[in-house]
Amino acid sequence: MSPGPRVLLRDFRLVDETLDMPGSVLIETGSILDVFPQGALLPETRFPRDTTIQGGGSLVLMPALVDLHAHFRDPGYPEKETLESASLAAVAGGYGTVVCMANTNPVIDTLAKAQALKERSDALGLMDLYPVLALTQGMEGRVLSDIRFLEGPLHETAPWIRMLSEDGKDVVSDELLYRALQAARRLGIPVSCHCDAGGPEADAAKAAGKPRECWSRIEENHATRRVIALGRQTHGHVHIAHVSTKESVDLIRKVKAQQEPALTLTAEASPHHLCLTQEAAHTLGDATWGRVNPPLRTEADRQALIQGILDGTIDAIATDHAPHTEADKVQGAPGFTGLETSFALCHTELVSKGRLSLSGLSSLMSASPARILGLTDRGRIAPEFRGDLMVVDTEAVWRVTMSRFRSRGKNSPVTGLVCTGKVLMTIQQGRVVFEAPVSPDA
Ligand code: DOR
């Protein structure tokens, strides 16, 4: 194959999970061909179509982000989001790869439905989408979905499926969840467990009229223990979605420390649980604009999550992008739009405040989620990795303005917040797919 046009990104601060140095990057035919330290002799441009993108100042070149958890609402809920609006939001947020959940209408419970969505996304050509396959038909918790007869490893037969999940409708039957985890193991991919299936203690607290913050904590802790136990029995890969309680962080840390060969355990935290607490939910409205599953929790929980991302207990930051209409939010629909603010929010709260290095953030938002998905070709700035990159200005100060969102979901918990750090450009396999408008708060 003759080489395509080259893209030279020159004079940037280059940051990935192991790299933080000034330099330049050359992309050819969609992949990184070379990385040059500052001062090295740079290649000549060869074709008129070759492009040079100039860095400098506070501009940083990082791997594009990888999201393990987003809700695209497509098919079925165009009033909340469509594939097109979600993809535009994703690239505006710096994402090159997104896993979208199956709680659509109809539910994505067959390989054919997942493939159709993947093909529509590829035709758009903005980013690399990986639809999740539901564990049970229609997410009804009764009959296993296509996963019951698929043969593995799936990354050979259906490489666009990298994760299974029943989303927020945890499979209640232990026997069925056991069989789903067994199937996932056969297929060689993780099950994202949302950990909100009741348990007797949570049910009792609910029946006794205890507040949501009380029973939902019992619920999450119980469900986390349950899926870890089932993961052990099936030797599967259990991925815990949006960890939010300090008890769950402690449990995951303890289990990981045991290094059990029979269990692969990974976990994600969402930007809103890392950066906000229940005080924000009270201000926004606990039952409306501040409502999310799992709920925003206490400062002690938030600090435990931060400790968890610092010591490796939590492997990744995932958005749980959950767009809703205004009418749905007013009626209590849980969830926040998040793709367009996740980097800035985490940068502002964790990097600018000195808790985490930019390399650490890159690891949590790019390299580590890519590893969880078995995508070994992205998330780093190194030769042969995909040319999926983003340019951020770490000094840019901007205000979150919902009317500017590409997402149809205007349900952000941080509207009006002044952030430090902004995604200016997203590059997908060497093509510029997003450029921030020049306006300072666009
Ligand atoms: O608050 C949430 N909303 N959490 C989830 O995990 C699902 C999501 C949704 O689909 O709206």
Side-chain angles (χ1 to χ4, degrees):
M1 188 170 34
S2 67
R6 290 175 156 191
V7 183
L8 179 64
L9 296 120
R10 56 183 299 167
D11 306 329
F12 282 90
R13 177 182 165 200
L14 308 179
V15 174
D16 76 5
E17 71 172 359
T18 59
L19 188 74
D20 191 340
M21 68 169 199
S24 304
V25 171
L26 180 66
I27 301 175
E28 188 177 278
T29 343
S31 298
I32 297 174
L33 188 66
D34 226 332
V35 179
F36 305 92
Q38 198 69 12
L41 194 63
L42 296 178
E44 299 286 322
T45 49
R46 298 176 314 179
F47 302 125
R49 286 179 304 147
D50 287 354
T51 321
T52 299
I53 298 171
Q54 184 64 44
S58 48
L59 296 185
V60 184
L61 189 64
M62 298 174 71
L65 308 177
V66 176
D67 193 8
L68 294 173
H69 187 163
H71 299 270
F72 272 25
R73 312 294 191 211
D74 193 326
Y77 303 101
E79 68 287 3
K80 294 177 193 270
E81 194 77 291
T82 63
L83 175 67
E84 289 76 10
S85 61
S87 304
L88 289 169
V91 296
Y95 285 90
T97 303
V98 177
V99 172
C100 65
M101 288 293 152
N103 61 338
T104 48
N105 186 15
V107 165
I108 301 170
D109 55 5
T110 67
L111 215 48
K113 287 180 198 161
Q115 188 170 4
L117 190 59
K118 173 69 177 161
E119 283 172 2
R120 282 177 55 213
S121 177
D122 286 351
L124 274 182
L126 288 169
M127 46 103 205
D128 206 16
L129 187 69
Y130 289 87
V132 155
L133 205 57
L135 300 179
T136 70
Q137 285 179 7
M139 282 188 175
E140 287 170 355
R142 285 185 283 131
V143 181
L144 286 187
S145 68
D146 266 12
I147 63 170
R148 70 193 188 282
F149 53 76
L150 293 174
E151 289 303 323
L154 218 48
H155 62 261
E156 285 168 11
T157 53
W160 64 91
I161 305 276
R162 295 279 166 168
M163 191 174 252
L164 305 175
S165 181
E166 200 77 336
D167 196 60
K169 284 181 90 178
D170 266 350
V171 174
V172 177
S173 152
D174 280 352
E175 198 248 321
L176 200 61
L177 186 54
Y178 177 90
R179 287 204 282 126
L181 282 160
Q182 262 185 336
R185 184 181 183 223
R186 191 179 70 244
L187 300 173
I189 54 177
V191 175
S192 173
C193 299
H194 285 230
C195 296
D196 40 19
E201 218 191 313
D203 291 346
K206 237 187 253 187
K210 294 264 170 62
R212 180 167 180 252
E213 64 215 47
C214 163
W215 55 256
S216 78
R217 175 182 298 277
I218 303 172
E219 197 169 72
E220 176 173 333
N221 296 343
H222 165 85
T224 307
R225 283 194 298 274
R226 171 184 178 239
V227 294
I228 289 174
L230 285 168
R232 264 190 198 116
Q233 289 169 29
T234 54
H235 296 203
H237 178 169
V238 167
H239 175 76
I240 312 276
H242 45 44
V243 178
S244 74
T245 68
K246 54 186 189 314
E247 297 82 11
S248 286
V249 177
D250 285 345
L251 175 64
I252 294 164
R253 181 181 293 114
K254 217 182 293 162
V255 173
K256 280 188 166 189
Q258 288 161 6
Q259 299 190 336
E260 302 168 43
L263 176 70
T264 305
L265 180 63
T266 54
E268 73 189 35
S270 67
H272 44 273
H273 291 112
L274 283 164
C275 301
L276 303 173
T277 63
Q278 59 192 21
E279 313 309 323
H282 296 332
T283 308
L284 291 160
D286 287 304
T288 56
W289 296 96
R291 189 177 175 98
V292 65
N293 282 340
L296 298 177
R297 303 216 189 255
T298 66
E299 180 60 15
D301 293 302
R302 189 176 85 87
Q303 290 303 331
L305 282 179
I306 294 176
Q307 193 47 47
I309 61 168
L310 295 177
D311 67 17
T313 302
I314 306 284
D315 302 87
I317 296 176
T319 64
D320 195 7
H321 174 76
H324 289 292
T325 63
E326 184 175 343
D328 291 341
K329 282 307 287 177
V330 169
Q331 282 175 25
F336 301 138
T337 188
L339 283 166
E340 288 166 88
T341 50
S342 53
F343 176 80
L345 190 54
C346 293
H347 184 264
T348 305
E349 285 297 320
L350 303 172
V351 180
S352 296
K353 292 188 178 168
R355 302 293 304 270
L356 182 68
S357 69
L358 195 54
S359 281
L361 186 59
S362 180
S363 180
L364 288 156
M365 296 188 83
S366 297
S368 180
R371 274 192 292 272
I372 289 171
L373 298 172
L375 296 170
T376 53
D377 61 349
R378 66 198 73 190
R380 298 275 318 282
I381 297 184
E384 293 181 27
F385 276 72
R386 275 168 66 111
D388 293 359
L389 301 167
M390 65 173 186
V391 175
V392 302
D393 183 346
T394 49
E395 306 275 291
V397 176
W398 62 289
R399 188 181 293 276
V400 177
T401 309
M402 282 209 276
S403 59
R404 299 252 160 82
F405 282 174
R406 279 84 182 160
S407 170
R408 291 192 178 176
K410 311 298 179 198
N411 49 320
S412 169
V414 291
T415 187
L417 186 82
V418 174
C419 293
T420 308
K422 191 171 195 323
V423 177
L424 295 186
M425 181 183 283
T426 306
I427 296 166
Q428 182 72 348
Q429 294 190 293
R431 283 179 305 113
V432 175
V433 288
F434 168 75
E435 242 179 306
V438 180
S439 153
D441 60 350

